[in-house]
Amino acid sequence: MRSSEGKYWIEGLRRRWIFSDAVKAFCFAATAAIISATVAMHFLGTGWKAFVLIFLLLFAGISAWMKYWNISSAQVSRFVDDQFPEVEQSSWLVLEPEENLSLLQRLQADRVNKVLSAKKISDAPWKQLVGPVLVLVAAIALSYGLSFISQSNRSITDSITEKNAGMPVVKENIPAEVSGFVITITPPAYTGKQARSQQQFSLTAETGSMVKWAIKTSLPVQSMVLLLNDNESVPLKSADNKSTWSASRLIAKSGFYQIVLNGKKSDYYQMEVTPDLPVAIRITNPAQHSTIDIGQPQQIDLKVLLNDDYGITDASISATMASGKGEAVSFKEKKIALQTNIHNQRSIQISQRILLRELGMKPGDELYFYINAKDNHGQLSRSDTYFVSIQDTTELMSLAGIDNGVNLVPEYFRSQRQLIMDTEKLLKEKAGMSEEEFKNKSNNLGIDQKMLRLRYGKFLGEEEETNIGGGHADEKEGKHAEGKDEHGHEAEQHAEAVEFGNTQAIMDQYAHKHDTSEDATFFEPELKAQLKATLNEMWTAELRLRTYEPQQALPFEYKALRLLKDLQQKSRAYVAKTTFKTSPIKPEKRLTGELKEVNGVQTSRSGGAGNKSVTVLKATLAMLENKKEGLPAMPGDLGVLLQAQQQLSAAASNTPAKYLDALKSTKKVLALWKNGNPQARDIAAMQKGLSLLIGAELAVPVQLSARSSELTKSYFKQLNRMQ
């Protein structure tokens, strides 16, 4: 009996190869998944769930490609023959049963057993893992580095943004008496932002921020005041030495301010307030008006995106279900919770499925819903109202109201209802009939649907089947469908081949024709479009019936019927019931002729003050243009400039970013108007601000000349003669 050490030795090596290949597949899959997930997180903001999904898919794919579990002992023996010359290419002998070997082979097998038992199992499977493990470690390091850099960049960007908020475009003009100052901005607590300090007078703050000014002067001053928007004074308090001043103010709106030291005003400084907007709600699915047709699942796949400046604290769905008709309509309100955790996030994506049956809705009911959301400042916002209705088959199949009013739709249009009933009957009887009989009946229903569709086509000016429901024609179907399948696919391909290269067909797409069959109808464009949509639904139903799929044809048949009933309602002439309530009549005042309490029609002319202000601004622009040309100043120019400055000051208090530069330049122009020459850049900046205030003038109507009036009278006189 020969020993089996060699066989066990080869089997152990095989298990090592299988395990090492599995580890190799794991390393490659994990490397690719880590890199993909890191990129997705950095650019798309996805979570680590994407890593798990990508890893599982890649590991399964790589394993299926490598098939390491199929490594056989014969393959391992060939590796042993190549790596160990001592076995003399005979390692396979230890794997064969002893009864299958000759005497010399048994002797050689014993020799191989002795050689292998004296050797350690090869480490070659472990050596091949060095590369994949190093690649995996590098991918982990790269992912960590990118995450760290991204987080650092985000922190640096946020800190720079907060630090440099409100940085002026140009260098500020600081009063000479001021030796140093610090402005501290403390945002409201709900924003989650820390207090920040800056050494600039122009500032940008969140709504409701507390702003503190701390100003030091080189010499003691008697008084220091902050003049806000040229109409509000905020005194600064000083210590005993009169050189350190401070004041605090809650900022609620944008504007500008000046520092007044001992009655001397400084330059203008901007105060920009960032408003806290309510939650922005965006519903991407469903559409604002949607109908659930027959055969569709009675559910809503809701997709909502919520965004807020500082955080969202609550969101919900307010739904109202309406059921019944006429005076028996009942409404039921319900608040539906969103299936997501809201913990003061700034952005939330919501995907939620709402089952209408669980809300107690049935065919014919309607659902009205909107989204409510609240931010961490308590501001409420709501979306538009969305409407979802479930189509009622009973209403569609009913004949009530068909003979009321004036019906412009032909009587045979209502045969679509009979087609639906025949299709449902065919589906019920399918189990008790043969396949051939079922196909014949389904095909016959398709023929009936085709005939009904052709009748509709006549009301669109189409006397034959051309361009109805996909461009099939009777003549082409009769000529080319013989010997082919019964759906006319070959004829359709032939029609496309004929149209290719047809000059007349290309010209028909762009030519303006007055005798087209489609326009030779009595339908309005809206009714015509709905009738075309009905033809498309009928064509799809016919296709399903012709291909022996009546179950799939039912939704299209129901939709065609719904469009038909809607078309009937639109074409019906009726007078709606209306009620009118008059105000009560006082008998004592009737027929007295007293008109003192009757006010005549008054036309408000608010444009007078506006025209006056525009006149002042235009005069100021003309004066500035004369000043640029070197003309001397007139005595009344200063008063006009002061009026223009008042208007610029009022505009800058509302939108400082737009008009504050012009107001600063106006101050400089006024200082040098009489006894100096203002700089050209100040005049240009002032002109720009005045032009923005004037805006685009509307065209003013002018009276026609006498000659034009006579021509107009003659024209209307000729028109009267022609009638």
Side-chain angles (χ1 to χ4, degrees), residues 703-713:
Q703 185 178 2
L704 297 175
S705 61
R707 182 177 179 182
S708 299
S709 300
E710 293 296 331
L711 181 61
T712 303
K713 292 178 181 179

Side-chain angles (χ1 to χ4, degrees), residues 36 79 86 88 148 185 234 313 321 387 412 466 619 646 649:
S36 302
F79 170 80
E86 304 89 63
E88 299 176 348
F148 180 79
I185 302 173
V234 178
T313 58
M321 285 75 73
F387 306 86
Y412 50 74
T466 306
Q646 292 178 358
S649 176

